[in-house]
Amino acid sequence: MMTTLVSPPWRKTSRDALRVAWPLLVAVAVACSSSSAPPPSGTPLVPDTVRFLEQSTFGPTEALVASVQDAGFSSFLAAQFAAPASSLGTYAVILQPSAVVCPPTAPSNCFRDNFSSFQPAVQFFHIALGGQDQLRQRVAFALSQIFVVSDGEVASTYGMADYEQLLLNDAFSNFRQILQDVTLSPAMGRYLNMVNNDKANPTAGTHPNENYARELLQLFSIGLVKLNPDGTVVADGSGQPVPTYDQTVVDGFAAVFTGWTYPTVAGATQKTHNPTNYRGVMEAVQSNHDVTLKTLLDGATLPAGQPAAQDLSGALDLLFNHPNIGPFLGKQLIQFLVTSNPSPAYVSRVSTAFADNGSGVRGDMQAVVKAILLDPEARGSVQSGTGYGKLREPALLAANLGRALEVQSDGVYLRNASSSMEQPVYEAGSVFNFYAPNYPLAGTTLVSPPSTLLDTSSVMVRSNFIYTLLFGTIAPDPTIPGSTGTTVPLTSLQTSAGDAGALADRLNALLMHGTMSAGVRQAVMNAVNAVATSDSLDRVRAAVYVVATSAQYQVEQ
């Protein structure tokens, strides 16, 4: 299906806007801030405060910037660490048969509302716009893209909501707790085949399923190769990367993860293989657990005869204390929150915080997040290093623009828009997420993970999303009880609409923390001045459209 790029009402000026946006197809504007203009004189928005809120929330608002400037970054972080987790909603427990079936008499939206992640994803965007636990939400969203579970396999609304709520609740806990809770989540158990995983049966010639063991090692904890504390790869005498594990280790971990089944439904009796139930924690069935000696990382072993829970605890402790976890996890979190290409020194400082929070505690997520956001490589009014920054992935693009423009939404349109831009939240196509952390930026030595989602079609869809948000009418969805639709008032920005330069400077401060180039500023002024001064609303729409479709906004620096 061909995507059509809509044209704003100021026809001639729209071509200028497209010229600004089109470099996204060429080089993702790696160093587009080199010719930035300073923020306007007297602006209350300090550039680094705006950048800090882009990294620690789903987007700055003028009111929040002013508040954080008064309180300071550390005070803001402390308050966010203490803020309770928002809820992704409460959904009915529907115990599924082997196949998802909606009765013939069920409403047409039966599958959407009961057997998919649609409802929690809608709530995700609603909270992203107005939730008070912004930092928790951002970190949990990053964790959801590391510890991936998708409704492609877990076809259950309450199951997906419970899993994503687990990550929200654990976001500021200890990483050891996250490993434990993710491992025993029935949703993860279903997604990566740990649930009802049978011990070896020599007579039948069967072996434990290796899926969770492989992904836990490769994606959730230590990665494929050994790392230095700064994230650089450890090489052998021939210059080849040193692997972290081999098939023997995979076999050992696969045996560890045998003998676990779904939570027993109230009033029922536990079976070797309980039926599907995503509410609660997986339960051990000792008779189905492999009790042989298990060889794990670097020759460490678990003795024969241990209970399933003891084997699991010992295996997770071994992973948690592996030196790879700090740099492996830390670098990915930096990429999600701050920049796609952190320096080895930046990764090293975050790894140090993971190893010791200053009080002798390893794996303290609050210490890790604080180290990432307050690092010198994250802070400062200007970050002009080649390769600094990251492309705004669709979900963050939608939420950031929505918050800056004081959008009121039930979340439905933003969820659908993010999906159309190739990032359907909670519906990653595989355990490898929507994009890999090492996705290369063509023509450079840099990586740009979110660029996986960028192509000629999705660039147009991004522009269409921005246009519809600004100029469209987004009505409530009649199939969703309580739906309110999406409105974009723009009343605050209209107070600056009479002066094209002042409006451009205000958007520069709020949306681009002072990095707008002189060329983009002129394009904004041209678009605004093409609209009658009496039409303050369309003047603001014109300005926002040019800014939001520009490469300099789409690449967060």
Side-chain angles (χ1 to χ4, degrees), residues 107-128:
S108 59
N109 295 313
C110 169
F111 181 86
R112 181 198 72 183
D113 293 341
N114 296 287
F115 302 110
S116 81
S117 62
F118 176 83
Q119 295 285 7
V122 165
Q123 186 66 5
F124 165 88
F125 280 101
H126 179 69
I127 297 170

mmCIF file of all heavy atoms in Angstrom, residues 107-128:
data_model
loop_
_atom_site.group_PDB
_atom_site.id
_atom_site.type_symbol
_atom_site.label_atom_id
_atom_site.label_comp_id
_atom_site.label_asym_id
_atom_site.label_seq_id
_atom_site.Cartn_x
_atom_site.Cartn_y
_atom_site.Cartn_z
ATOM 1 N N PRO A 107 -18.940 -9.737 20.876
ATOM 2 C CA PRO A 107 -18.793 -8.495 20.115
ATOM 3 C C PRO A 107 -17.630 -8.587 19.136
ATOM 4 O O PRO A 107 -16.696 -9.380 19.325
ATOM 5 C CB PRO A 107 -18.524 -7.443 21.200
ATOM 6 C CG PRO A 107 -19.056 -8.046 22.456
ATOM 7 C CD PRO A 107 -18.868 -9.519 22.324
ATOM 8 N N SER A 108 -17.663 -7.757 18.110
ATOM 9 C CA SER A 108 -16.638 -7.815 17.075
ATOM 10 C C SER A 108 -15.245 -7.514 17.610
ATOM 11 O O SER A 108 -14.238 -7.909 17.022
ATOM 12 C CB SER A 108 -16.977 -6.843 15.941
ATOM 13 O OG SER A 108 -17.061 -5.517 16.447
ATOM 14 N N ASN A 109 -15.179 -6.808 18.739
ATOM 15 C CA ASN A 109 -13.883 -6.458 19.320
ATOM 16 C C ASN A 109 -13.450 -7.434 20.416
ATOM 17 O O ASN A 109 -12.572 -7.119 21.214
ATOM 18 C CB ASN A 109 -13.930 -5.035 19.889
ATOM 19 C CG ASN A 109 -14.137 -4.009 18.799
ATOM 20 O OD1 ASN A 109 -13.483 -4.045 17.767
ATOM 21 N ND2 ASN A 109 -15.069 -3.088 19.029
ATOM 22 N N CYS A 110 -14.038 -8.596 20.447
ATOM 23 C CA CYS A 110 -13.721 -9.582 21.487
ATOM 24 C C CYS A 110 -12.235 -9.898 21.535
ATOM 25 O O CYS A 110 -11.614 -9.860 22.598
ATOM 26 C CB CYS A 110 -14.534 -10.853 21.257
ATOM 27 S SG CYS A 110 -14.006 -12.270 22.267
ATOM 28 N N PHE A 111 -11.655 -10.193 20.382
ATOM 29 C CA PHE A 111 -10.237 -10.557 20.374
ATOM 30 C C PHE A 111 -9.385 -9.370 20.797
ATOM 31 O O PHE A 111 -8.491 -9.507 21.630
ATOM 32 C CB PHE A 111 -9.818 -11.037 18.983
ATOM 33 C CG PHE A 111 -8.374 -11.455 18.922
ATOM 34 C CD1 PHE A 111 -7.991 -12.740 19.253
ATOM 35 C CD2 PHE A 111 -7.376 -10.550 18.569
ATOM 36 C CE1 PHE A 111 -6.660 -13.128 19.221
ATOM 37 C CE2 PHE A 111 -6.047 -10.925 18.528
ATOM 38 C CZ PHE A 111 -5.685 -12.223 18.862
ATOM 39 N N ARG A 112 -9.644 -8.192 20.240
ATOM 40 C CA ARG A 112 -8.857 -7.001 20.561
ATOM 41 C C ARG A 112 -8.854 -6.708 22.046
ATOM 42 O O ARG A 112 -7.821 -6.375 22.638
ATOM 43 C CB ARG A 112 -9.416 -5.799 19.794
ATOM 44 C CG ARG A 112 -8.666 -4.501 20.025
ATOM 45 C CD ARG A 112 -9.486 -3.292 19.605
ATOM 46 N NE ARG A 112 -10.587 -3.038 20.544
ATOM 47 C CZ ARG A 112 -11.492 -2.081 20.388
ATOM 48 N NH1 ARG A 112 -11.456 -1.308 19.322
ATOM 49 N NH2 ARG A 112 -12.453 -1.919 21.289
ATOM 50 N N ASP A 113 -10.008 -6.819 22.684
ATOM 51 C CA ASP A 113 -10.155 -6.388 24.072
ATOM 52 C C ASP A 113 -9.823 -7.462 25.094
ATOM 53 O O ASP A 113 -9.698 -7.151 26.288
ATOM 54 C CB ASP A 113 -11.581 -5.886 24.306
ATOM 55 C CG ASP A 113 -11.883 -4.614 23.530
ATOM 56 O OD1 ASP A 113 -10.920 -3.948 23.114
ATOM 57 O OD2 ASP A 113 -13.069 -4.298 23.321
ATOM 58 N N ASN A 114 -9.676 -8.715 24.666
ATOM 59 C CA ASN A 114 -9.429 -9.792 25.618
ATOM 60 C C ASN A 114 -8.184 -10.618 25.333
ATOM 61 O O ASN A 114 -7.635 -11.230 26.235
ATOM 62 C CB ASN A 114 -10.637 -10.741 25.672
ATOM 63 C CG ASN A 114 -11.888 -10.057 26.186
ATOM 64 O OD1 ASN A 114 -12.013 -9.773 27.368
ATOM 65 N ND2 ASN A 114 -12.825 -9.788 25.273
ATOM 66 N N PHE A 115 -7.747 -10.615 24.076
ATOM 67 C CA PHE A 115 -6.659 -11.512 23.696
ATOM 68 C C PHE A 115 -5.537 -10.788 22.955
ATOM 69 O O PHE A 115 -4.834 -11.381 22.135
ATOM 70 C CB PHE A 115 -7.209 -12.652 22.835
ATOM 71 C CG PHE A 115 -8.283 -13.451 23.522
ATOM 72 C CD1 PHE A 115 -9.598 -13.379 23.095
ATOM 73 C CD2 PHE A 115 -7.981 -14.244 24.616
ATOM 74 C CE1 PHE A 115 -10.590 -14.099 23.730
ATOM 75 C CE2 PHE A 115 -8.965 -14.968 25.267
ATOM 76 C CZ PHE A 115 -10.278 -14.900 24.824
ATOM 77 N N SER A 116 -5.349 -9.506 23.249
ATOM 78 C CA SER A 116 -4.255 -8.754 22.648
ATOM 79 C C SER A 116 -3.753 -7.715 23.639
ATOM 80 O O SER A 116 -4.332 -7.525 24.715
ATOM 81 C CB SER A 116 -4.724 -8.062 21.354
ATOM 82 O OG SER A 116 -5.407 -6.849 21.641
ATOM 83 N N SER A 117 -2.701 -7.007 23.262
ATOM 84 C CA SER A 117 -2.136 -5.967 24.135
ATOM 85 C C SER A 117 -2.724 -4.592 23.837
ATOM 86 O O SER A 117 -2.220 -3.588 24.330
ATOM 87 C CB SER A 117 -0.613 -5.922 23.958
ATOM 88 O OG SER A 117 -0.285 -5.582 22.614
ATOM 89 N N PHE A 118 -3.782 -4.526 23.044
ATOM 90 C CA PHE A 118 -4.326 -3.235 22.628
ATOM 91 C C PHE A 118 -4.670 -2.344 23.820
ATOM 92 O O PHE A 118 -4.240 -1.183 23.887
ATOM 93 C CB PHE A 118 -5.576 -3.450 21.762
ATOM 94 C CG PHE A 118 -6.264 -2.176 21.350
ATOM 95 C CD1 PHE A 118 -5.826 -1.450 20.254
ATOM 96 C CD2 PHE A 118 -7.345 -1.680 22.077
ATOM 97 C CE1 PHE A 118 -6.448 -0.259 19.880
ATOM 98 C CE2 PHE A 118 -7.975 -0.499 21.716
ATOM 99 C CZ PHE A 118 -7.524 0.203 20.613
ATOM 100 N N GLN A 119 -5.418 -2.845 24.767
ATOM 101 C CA GLN A 119 -5.875 -2.018 25.885
ATOM 102 C C GLN A 119 -4.724 -1.524 26.763
ATOM 103 O O GLN A 119 -4.642 -0.327 27.069
ATOM 104 C CB GLN A 119 -6.911 -2.776 26.726
ATOM 105 C CG GLN A 119 -8.220 -3.086 25.999
ATOM 106 C CD GLN A 119 -9.116 -1.854 25.855
ATOM 107 O OE1 GLN A 119 -8.719 -0.739 26.170
ATOM 108 N NE2 GLN A 119 -10.321 -2.057 25.360
ATOM 109 N N PRO A 120 -3.788 -2.392 27.199
ATOM 110 C CA PRO A 120 -2.651 -1.856 27.973
ATOM 111 C C PRO A 120 -1.772 -0.913 27.169
ATOM 112 O O PRO A 120 -1.203 0.031 27.727
ATOM 113 C CB PRO A 120 -1.886 -3.104 28.419
ATOM 114 C CG PRO A 120 -2.424 -4.234 27.625
ATOM 115 C CD PRO A 120 -3.806 -3.866 27.223
ATOM 116 N N ALA A 121 -1.667 -1.101 25.852
ATOM 117 C CA ALA A 121 -0.876 -0.176 25.042
ATOM 118 C C ALA A 121 -1.556 1.188 24.954
ATOM 119 O O ALA A 121 -0.884 2.226 24.975
ATOM 120 C CB ALA A 121 -0.665 -0.749 23.639
ATOM 121 N N VAL A 122 -2.873 1.199 24.862
ATOM 122 C CA VAL A 122 -3.612 2.470 24.886
ATOM 123 C C VAL A 122 -3.364 3.177 26.218
ATOM 124 O O VAL A 122 -3.115 4.389 26.262
ATOM 125 C CB VAL A 122 -5.123 2.212 24.671
ATOM 126 C CG1 VAL A 122 -5.952 3.439 25.061
ATOM 127 C CG2 VAL A 122 -5.394 1.840 23.217
ATOM 128 N N GLN A 123 -3.419 2.422 27.302
ATOM 129 C CA GLN A 123 -3.177 3.009 28.616
ATOM 130 C C GLN A 123 -1.737 3.492 28.743
ATOM 131 O O GLN A 123 -1.468 4.516 29.386
ATOM 132 C CB GLN A 123 -3.485 1.983 29.709
ATOM 133 C CG GLN A 123 -3.403 2.508 31.131
ATOM 134 C CD GLN A 123 -4.464 3.555 31.458
ATOM 135 O OE1 GLN A 123 -5.347 3.840 30.646
ATOM 136 N NE2 GLN A 123 -4.383 4.134 32.640
ATOM 137 N N PHE A 124 -0.793 2.799 28.121
ATOM 138 C CA PHE A 124 0.602 3.228 28.101
ATOM 139 C C PHE A 124 0.711 4.654 27.576
ATOM 140 O O PHE A 124 1.398 5.501 28.165
ATOM 141 C CB PHE A 124 1.413 2.260 27.236
ATOM 142 C CG PHE A 124 2.774 2.763 26.827
ATOM 143 C CD1 PHE A 124 3.877 2.561 27.637
ATOM 144 C CD2 PHE A 124 2.951 3.455 25.628
ATOM 145 C CE1 PHE A 124 5.136 3.026 27.257
ATOM 146 C CE2 PHE A 124 4.204 3.929 25.242
ATOM 147 C CZ PHE A 124 5.296 3.713 26.059
ATOM 148 N N PHE A 125 0.059 4.953 26.468
ATOM 149 C CA PHE A 125 0.157 6.293 25.890
ATOM 150 C C PHE A 125 -0.619 7.319 26.704
ATOM 151 O O PHE A 125 -0.191 8.481 26.811
ATOM 152 C CB PHE A 125 -0.320 6.269 24.434
ATOM 153 C CG PHE A 125 0.717 5.763 23.491
ATOM 154 C CD1 PHE A 125 0.660 4.461 23.012
ATOM 155 C CD2 PHE A 125 1.778 6.560 23.105
ATOM 156 C CE1 PHE A 125 1.639 3.977 22.149
ATOM 157 C CE2 PHE A 125 2.761 6.091 22.248
ATOM 158 C CZ PHE A 125 2.695 4.793 21.766
ATOM 159 N N HIS A 126 -1.718 6.906 27.293
ATOM 160 C CA HIS A 126 -2.460 7.830 28.154
ATOM 161 C C HIS A 126 -1.596 8.257 29.342
ATOM 162 O O HIS A 126 -1.530 9.445 29.692
ATOM 163 C CB HIS A 126 -3.749 7.152 28.640
ATOM 164 C CG HIS A 126 -4.565 7.997 29.553
ATOM 165 N ND1 HIS A 126 -5.237 9.127 29.131
ATOM 166 C CD2 HIS A 126 -4.813 7.895 30.892
ATOM 167 C CE1 HIS A 126 -5.872 9.683 30.151
ATOM 168 N NE2 HIS A 126 -5.620 8.957 31.224
ATOM 169 N N ILE A 127 -0.898 7.292 29.940
ATOM 170 C CA ILE A 127 -0.015 7.592 31.070
ATOM 171 C C ILE A 127 1.199 8.388 30.598
ATOM 172 O O ILE A 127 1.667 9.301 31.297
ATOM 173 C CB ILE A 127 0.439 6.287 31.761
ATOM 174 C CG1 ILE A 127 -0.760 5.549 32.350
ATOM 175 C CG2 ILE A 127 1.450 6.588 32.859
ATOM 176 C CD1 ILE A 127 -0.420 4.147 32.827
ATOM 177 N N ALA A 128 1.719 8.063 29.418
ATOM 178 C CA ALA A 128 2.885 8.785 28.907
ATOM 179 C C ALA A 128 2.604 10.278 28.815
ATOM 180 O O ALA A 128 3.484 11.098 29.064
ATOM 181 C CB ALA A 128 3.288 8.231 27.543
#
